[in-house]
Amino acid sequence: MKAQSIRIASYNLQKCVGLDLRRRPDRSLQVIANLRAELVVLQEADKRLPPRPAALPHDMAEAQGWRVVDFGDPAASLGFHGNAMLIRPGVKVLTADHIDLPGLEPRGAIRADLETTIGPLRVIGTHLGLIRRYRLLQLRAIMRHLAHLGPMPTVLAGDFNEWGPARALDNATPGLLILPERPSFPSPRPVAPLDRFAISGDLVAKDHGTHSARPARVASDHLPVWVDLVPA
């Protein structure tokens, strides 16, 4: 019998503003639907200034069959510090929380413990800072948060903002394997693997890659990335 898998995706929406400078959340949702994922972690899902209203409206996402996970930010926001999570009806939320991250710029992460087709799964979504020193501090803050929780198969996903090899981040993520790089930025001709996944040892990535089918190359300056996971 084949092990059941789950597809998780990560996508920096750039506030739903495409390379044509048009804000089109409907186009962003088309890209998300084309990923065929059960769970999608989003970055830049909210507008930048307080009260950070959602760039991707709740009702539009829900009309497409997604559930928006509640991380306790104000009602106008889709998530926390622009990080959001969409799940399909077959995924059940057990607990959800957000994490404040250190750095010069306001940054945060979201964490959901879920019941999925492959069993319990912990997913963290984040958008790390532009300066490596702060990226490492932010990853260590996430790992400290996880250290206070019970063990569970874990996925860390998001825009890591790291242009170089994954080994630059390995020391800050003990117990997690950062998957090999897949260029995702800039979307018309990707050269930098900014968008990444890291997984715990009780998970295996059957496959992972970037999604470049239309309209992904114009809908944001990032291409979405995806991974198919099975239990180890």
Side-chain angles (χ1 to χ4, degrees), residues 45 51 74 133 152 155 202:
R133 176 190 171 204
M152 184 180 290
V155 182
D202 37 18

Side-chain angles (χ1 to χ4, degrees), residues 9-230:
S10 178
Y11 189 23
N12 185 326
L13 295 176
Q14 197 186 218
K15 305 172 185 66
C16 298
V17 177
L19 300 187
D20 55 3
L21 303 182
R22 300 173 64 195
R23 191 178 85 82
R24 287 191 49 192
D26 61 312
R27 180 170 58 189
S28 301
L29 281 167
Q30 182 182 347
V31 175
I32 291 168
N34 291 344
L35 293 167
R36 298 181 182 176
E38 286 79 27
L39 184 154
V40 183
V41 174
L42 302 174
Q43 303 86 48
E44 297 194 26
D46 298 337
K47 297 177 183 177
R48 189 165 185 82
L49 297 177
R52 298 186 69 106
L56 180 68
H58 291 70
D59 56 351
M60 289 185 68
E62 289 167 354
Q64 296 293 321
W66 294 101
R67 178 182 171 190
V68 180
V69 180
D70 181 7
F71 293 101
D73 225 25
S77 172
L78 197 71
F80 179 70
H81 277 293
N83 300 290
M85 194 178 296
L86 306 180
I87 58 174
R88 287 300 190 188
V91 179
K92 179 183 176 183
V93 178
L94 304 175
T95 63
D97 199 1
H98 61 259
I99 311 165
D100 287 300
L101 298 181
L104 288 175
E105 327 157 65
R107 295 281 174 175
I110 52 177
R111 188 264 302 171
D113 291 0
L114 308 161
E115 188 63 46
T116 74
T117 52
I118 64 168
L121 188 66
R122 176 170 291 143
V123 180
I124 304 99
T126 193
H127 187 180
L128 301 180
L130 298 173
I131 299 171
R132 179 176 287 172
R133 176 190 171 204
Y134 292 111
R135 289 197 289 275
L136 297 175
L137 289 172
Q138 290 156 5
L139 286 171
R140 290 180 183 120
I142 291 170
M143 298 307 293
R144 285 195 300 272
H145 175 88
L146 296 179
H148 293 291
L149 305 174
M152 184 180 290
T154 297
V155 182
L156 173 60
D159 180 354
F160 284 28
N161 260 322
E162 178 62 50
W163 289 66
R167 63 177 178 270
L169 307 175
D170 282 342
N171 288 340
T173 55
L176 297 181
L177 170 68
I178 300 176
L179 298 184
E181 295 83 3
R182 298 289 188 266
S184 60
F185 179 88
S187 55
R189 194 182 292 259
V191 295
L194 302 190
D195 304 278
R196 305 184 187 228
F197 297 100
I199 62 175
S200 57
D202 37 18
L203 294 170
V204 172
K206 289 174 56 181
D207 198 6
H208 70 290
T210 57
H211 173 83
S212 59
R214 292 183 181 180
R217 289 193 185 274
V218 71
S220 169
D221 58 350
H222 289 246
L223 293 176
V225 294
W226 55 269
V227 61
D228 291 334
L229 295 171
V230 295

